[in-house]
Amino acid sequence: QVQLVESGGGLVQPGGSLRLSCAASGSIFSISVMGWYRQAPGKRRELVALITNSGRTNYADSVKGRFTISRDNAKNTAWLQMNSLKPEDTAVYYCNADVNEYGGGRNDYWGQGTQVTVSS
C-alpha cells in the first residue's frame, strides 16, 4: 500500500504564490509519473502538471509560465510552485502517482487533496 500526503495549500491574494508538496510513502519500488490535478466546485477534475522520473514535464495551457512542477526521486516527493495566482486557480489540488510497488504491482494513487483559494 502507498500513501500520498499533500501540504501547502491555503488562502492567497491574486498575484501571490504558493508551493504545494506531495510526499509518497509505503511499498514503493519506483514512481513513473507524478502529477498534480485540481477540481473546482461544479467542475471536473483536470490535469495541472505532470513530471516523469526522468524530469520530463507537461503543463495545462492555463498554468504554463506560472506553475512549475519538480520532484526528488530519492525522496518520492513532488512539488508544485504556483506563481502569479489568479482567482480561477481556486480549487482542491490533488497529487497523483503512478507507482511500481515491491512485489511487481503497478497502481495509481491519489492524495487527499489540499485547498487553494485565491481571493482578495
Side-chain angles (χ1 to χ4, degrees):
Q1 190 70 317
V2 173
Q3 297 79 39
L4 302 182
V5 178
E6 300 129 334
S7 61
L11 172 64
V12 63
Q13 293 186 342
S17 298
L18 282 175
R19 190 186 194 212
L20 305 183
S21 298
C22 173
S25 62
S27 182
I28 301 170
F29 177 73
S30 65
I31 302 177
S32 301
V33 180
M34 297 189 78
W36 288 95
Y37 292 74
R38 66 186 181 188
Q39 187 168 18
K43 294 188 176 181
R44 289 186 172 184
R45 189 173 297 188
E46 63 176 2
L47 170 68
V48 177
L50 293 173
I51 185 167
T52 70
N53 55 8
S54 63
R56 293 178 63 183
T57 58
N58 186 37
Y59 295 93
D61 288 343
S62 59
V63 306
K64 283 181 180 177
R66 300 188 298 122
F67 291 11
T68 302
I69 189 170
S70 59
R71 67 186 281 181
D72 184 327
N73 292 334
K75 295 182 179 180
N76 293 322
T77 299
W79 297 271
L80 184 68
Q81 178 67 42
M82 305 185 293
N83 299 329
S84 303
L85 282 161
K86 305 175 181 179
E88 51 263 44
D89 294 318
T90 295
V92 178
Y93 283 69
Y94 297 91
C95 178
N96 175 266
D98 180 12
V99 179
N100 299 298
E101 299 183 49
Y102 285 110
R106 180 178 178 180
N107 291 292
D108 193 61
Y109 290 92
W110 292 89
Q112 80 284 357
T114 184
Q115 177 70 47
V116 171
T117 302
V118 184
S119 175
S120 55

